[in-house]
Amino acid sequence: MKLILASASPRRRELLTQVGVSFVIEVSDVEEVLDDTLSPELQVQSLALQKAQAVAAQHKDGLVLGADTVVVDAGSLLGKPQNTEEAAEMLRSLSGKWHQVMTAVALVDANDTKHEWTSVEITNVKFRDLTEDDIVAYVATGESMDKAGAYGIQGYGALLVERIEGCYNNVVGLPLQLVAKGLRNWGINLYEYKEVQTQ
């Protein structure tokens, strides 16, 4: 069965490659609009599912993997910053505090779009106390602009993080153990499922 990654994220691509999975990429055109009437878990789950469903609708077969990551700061959702000023403001808000990173994983069977699965992984992350110089220097790296919460733990953002509790890969953008759990619903074992048919 062909695996289709409905994401442009190089981090998600790298994580899947890390466990030997071959896949094709087809980026979803779903607009990432957050719905404040839903809980953070339901919001991120809804976005991941919408991405997977949109790509699945374009295929007759294959399994589509969608994902979405948000940062939750004291109950408020932080998506990707729109500009450097917003990025700096997000980092100031996270400074010296715990926050949550939530990644939703969605799988949709293009052959039977009613056959779908979603789940959410939550990791707690604590930032050290950041100085204004820290914030200015980090934003200047450019890492903030395409990442929820304005940081990426796998890059210079590692210098901002004091502790994490939970799944590290979730903070990067794709909790691999959750993906593996979902794939088992289709009888796929990642230890054995190294080659995915791409035609």
Side-chain angles (χ1 to χ4, degrees), residues 10 16 18 22 27 36 42 62 71 82-83 87 92-93 108 116 132 136 145 147-148 166 176 196 198:
L16 279 179
Q18 176 183 312
S22 298
V27 180
D36 292 338
L42 289 177
V71 168
Q82 298 298 308
N83 50 53
R92 288 187 197 102
S93 178
V108 176
E116 61 186 37
E132 194 62 22
V136 170
M145 299 317 297
K147 297 175 181 68
L176 290 173
V196 180
T198 57

Side-chain angles (χ1 to χ4, degrees), residues 11-190:
R11 297 163 295 280
R12 292 182 181 133
R13 183 169 65 239
E14 288 163 9
L15 284 168
L16 279 179
T17 302
Q18 176 183 312
V19 289
V21 177
S22 298
F23 53 92
V24 294
I25 296 170
E26 186 168 326
V27 180
S28 165
D29 59 1
V30 169
E31 188 177 355
E32 295 185 20
V33 178
L34 297 172
D35 181 353
D36 292 338
T37 64
L38 299 175
S39 69
E41 292 97 327
L42 289 177
Q43 287 190 63
V44 72
Q45 212 164 345
S46 174
L47 283 171
L49 186 56
Q50 287 176 50
K51 291 176 183 179
Q53 288 171 333
V55 171
Q58 307 300 315
H59 294 267
K60 292 182 179 178
D61 58 25
L63 188 57
V64 181
L65 169 62
D68 196 76
T69 301
V70 294
V71 168
V72 182
D73 175 25
S76 297
L77 262 70
L78 304 182
K80 298 173 184 176
Q82 298 298 308
N83 50 53
T84 55
E85 291 79 12
E86 188 176 358
E89 192 54 44
M90 287 182 182
L91 295 171
R92 288 187 197 102
S93 178
L94 296 173
S95 175
K97 293 167 30 185
W98 285 95
H99 62 271
Q100 293 180 311
V101 177
M102 298 184 183
T103 300
V105 172
L107 290 163
V108 176
D109 192 332
N111 186 51
D112 176 12
T113 54
K114 291 180 181 177
H115 189 189
E116 61 186 37
W117 178 90
T118 60
S119 191
V120 179
E121 183 75 22
I122 301 174
T123 302
N124 295 312
V125 180
K126 185 176 189 294
F127 268 20
R128 63 181 178 82
D129 290 322
L130 305 180
T131 66
E132 194 62 22
D133 284 346
D134 289 328
I135 291 168
V136 170
Y138 181 68
V139 172
T141 69
E143 276 189 5
S144 294
M145 299 317 297
D146 67 338
K147 297 175 181 68
Y151 78 98
I153 196 170
Q154 73 284 359
Y156 290 106
L159 303 174
L160 312 177
V161 175
E162 186 175 292
R163 287 184 65 192
I164 76 165
E165 292 180 353
C167 175
Y168 172 82
N169 288 331
N170 180 48
V171 186
V172 178
L174 192 66
L176 290 173
Q177 87 288 351
L178 199 61
V179 173
K181 179 181 178 181
L183 289 172
R184 286 196 289 271
N185 290 284
W186 281 264
I188 296 170
N189 180 342
L190 282 186

